[in-house]
Amino acid sequence: LLDVGHTLSYAGMPDFVTPADTEKSLNFWLAARTLAAAALLSGAFLPWRISGRRWQRGWLLLASIALAGIVFYLALFVPQLFPRTFIPGQGLTRFKIGYEYFLIAAYLAAGFRFFLRYRSGEGQIAASLFAGALISAASEYLFTLYGDVTDLYNIGGHLLKVLAYGFFYRGV
């Protein structure tokens, strides 16, 4: 859901409730990447076989949708709560670059743990998640380098993200 918000808010897109701009799009982007990193860290460090009932999984799904709804509300109606991430003519802010490095560290931590799980015999699932986590870290690195939302670093970062999600899909 947050990636859809990112896409619909991208500068140049028609209004998505409020006018589209780079800041709005990046607010969705960072929220989506934060939740992805949290999910990967959970998958890396928590046991894979949890004896949960179906209703417990439903509550987790509902909580995820509610969290996405909160981000949508804040990004669309209270964007001033978010720190600046991009200044036209100047590029990325220190906050945006620093936050991307935080996400890189989270992806690398998850990747390292998936590597250890693979080495301990947990198989192809851990190997695919390891590859996806490393590619995600490389993707985030490219997102620290761009000066314009249409340059090669930004496009490359998005392509690596798609590749990483291919590995996540394969693993899961």
Side-chain angles (χ1 to χ4, degrees), residues 43-44 48 110-131 170:
W48 285 353
F112 180 70
R113 178 68 174 124
F114 286 130
F115 176 74
L116 293 178
R117 290 182 96 150
Y118 171 73
R119 295 276 306 210
S120 69
E122 294 195 44
Q124 192 60 39
I125 294 170
S128 291
L129 297 175
F130 165 69
R170 181 174 182 226

Side-chain angles (χ1 to χ4, degrees), residues 143-164:
F143 290 122
T144 67
L145 301 175
Y146 69 89
D148 182 77
V149 294
T150 59
D151 74 11
L152 212 48
Y153 292 118
N154 195 329
I155 294 168
H158 281 91
L159 292 175
L160 284 179
K161 178 184 174 255
V162 170
L163 180 63

Side-chain angles (χ1 to χ4, degrees), residues 3 10 13 15 22 29 53 65-66 71 77 94 99 102 116-117 125 136 144 157:
D3 281 334
Y10 207 79
M13 292 291 285
D15 289 356
T22 303
W29 175 263
R53 301 185 195 283
I65 292 170
V71 171
F77 301 112
R94 290 177 63 145
Y99 201 84
F102 165 76
L116 293 178
R117 290 182 96 150
I125 294 170
S136 291
T144 67

Side-chain angles (χ1 to χ4, degrees), residues 25-112:
S25 180
L26 287 175
N27 291 338
F28 281 112
W29 175 263
L30 291 177
R33 301 292 62 80
T34 301
L35 290 178
L40 274 177
L41 287 167
S42 296
F45 288 96
L46 295 176
W48 285 353
R49 305 235 189 270
I50 298 174
S51 60
R53 301 185 195 283
R54 179 171 282 164
W55 66 269
Q56 290 171 321
R57 291 190 305 259
W59 280 109
L60 284 173
L61 177 61
L62 185 62
S64 297
I65 292 170
L67 186 57
I70 291 168
V71 171
F72 267 81
Y73 174 79
L74 294 174
L76 294 174
F77 301 112
V78 201
Q80 64 273 17
L81 291 180
F82 293 92
R84 294 294 311 262
T85 53
F86 186 85
I87 299 171
Q90 293 180 8
L92 299 173
T93 64
R94 290 177 63 145
F95 170 80
K96 164 71 163 67
I97 293 170
Y99 201 84
E100 292 287 3
Y101 279 114
F102 165 76
L103 291 172
I104 290 167
Y107 286 128
L108 291 176
F112 180 70

